[in-house]
Amino acid sequence: MGWDASILIYIQEHIRSGFLDPIMKLVTHTNDSGILFIGLCLILLLVRKSRVVGVISSLSLALEFSIGNLILKNLIARTRPYDAVAGLINIIENQTDYSFPSGHTGSAFAVTGVFLAVAIFGLPAFNESKGFLRAKPRKGWKAAAIVLTVYSLLLGFSRLYVGVHYPTDVMAGMLLGLICSSLVYLTYCKIMKDRSSKTLQTSAVK
């Protein structure tokens, strides 16, 4: 038995309990089909002050879904651990797709990564006199980034706890989500920077 499977058996035998089972089931179902973060993106898009974050988050989420769910899952076609690891029992329903990478974790970090980028590096913005800049985010963004990070980590662990993913599935989902969020954030900043440069040049000519 490999270390990946051994961790799942350890969780099943030493961490699962009558108290934690319903909590972990609830946590793991909060983001079924990415619904929690799809909803969050919609809310961000509807509010003018958060629309930029909503656009970046939505694009990141779409990129993660395309790579993770449409390409990697079907390309690697990894069997779910409850069908491959002797003695492992999943405590939620069987999943309908392949195991690698974790879509729940990937979608969570695709959006959480954007919040972290905004909290650490700033919100991409354009100022008529200064051009492109990363505006200092309000404290609320930093608090939200912390809350989402804690939740996303707990969500990833819940996928192991209920027995539907290997640790490497969850780690890959986390990494994919963070890569997607970084790529979209940096690309958005690059586009904004190019547009602001052209705008300032046009204004200078006039």
Side-chain angles (χ1 to χ4, degrees):
M1 184 184 296
W3 68 270
D4 225 8
S6 297
I7 290 176
L8 296 180
I9 294 298
Y10 180 86
I11 292 173
Q12 176 175 280
E13 295 181 351
H14 300 284
I15 300 180
R16 282 185 187 174
S17 67
F19 171 73
L20 284 177
D21 284 1
I23 296 175
M24 288 300 167
K25 287 179 182 179
L26 175 62
V27 170
T28 211
H29 283 311
T30 54
N31 196 40
D32 283 350
S33 301
I35 188 65
L36 180 66
F37 287 92
I38 291 173
L40 177 58
C41 287
L42 290 175
I43 293 172
L44 292 170
L45 289 169
L46 289 173
V47 180
R48 186 178 62 82
K49 291 184 178 180
S50 64
R51 195 160 293 156
V52 170
V53 177
V55 169
I56 299 174
S57 296
S58 298
L59 292 173
S60 176
L61 191 60
L63 181 62
E64 185 280 328
F65 175 80
S66 299
I67 296 174
N69 289 63
L70 300 183
I71 298 176
L72 292 179
K73 276 185 180 288
N74 295 303
L75 182 65
I76 297 172
R78 189 181 198 182
T79 304
R80 291 282 177 170
Y82 52 77
D83 286 329
V85 179
L88 180 66
I89 301 172
N90 52 309
I91 59 173
I92 63 170
E93 67 282 353
N94 288 358
Q95 307 296 287
T96 58
D97 57 357
Y98 293 113
S99 190
F100 183 95
S102 167
H104 282 65
T105 311
S107 61
F109 277 95
V111 176
T112 298
V114 175
F115 275 72
L116 287 171
V118 170
I120 296 171
F121 301 108
L123 184 67
F126 173 72
N127 182 283
E128 291 185 1
S129 60
K130 297 180 181 179
F132 171 79
L133 52 85
R134 289 188 178 93
K136 185 177 180 181
R138 297 179 178 179
K139 291 182 179 180
W141 287 109
K142 295 182 179 180
I146 293 173
V147 170
L148 286 178
T149 299
V150 172
Y151 165 78
S152 297
L153 289 171
L154 182 60
L155 177 65
F157 176 73
S158 76
R159 303 304 285 169
L160 307 179
Y161 185 95
V162 299
V164 298
H165 275 297
Y166 292 97
T168 43
D169 297 339
V170 170
M171 288 187 287
M174 181 188 305
L175 182 61
L176 177 60
L178 291 175
I179 289 174
C180 289
S181 58
S182 299
L183 285 175
V184 176
Y185 175 83
L186 291 173
T187 300
Y188 187 90
C189 288
K190 179 68 166 56
I191 293 173
M192 287 284 291
K193 188 178 294 185
D194 291 343
R195 286 185 177 179
S196 63
S197 295
K198 291 180 181 179
T199 301
L200 291 176
Q201 289 173 6
T202 301
S203 299
V205 171
K206 292 180 179 179

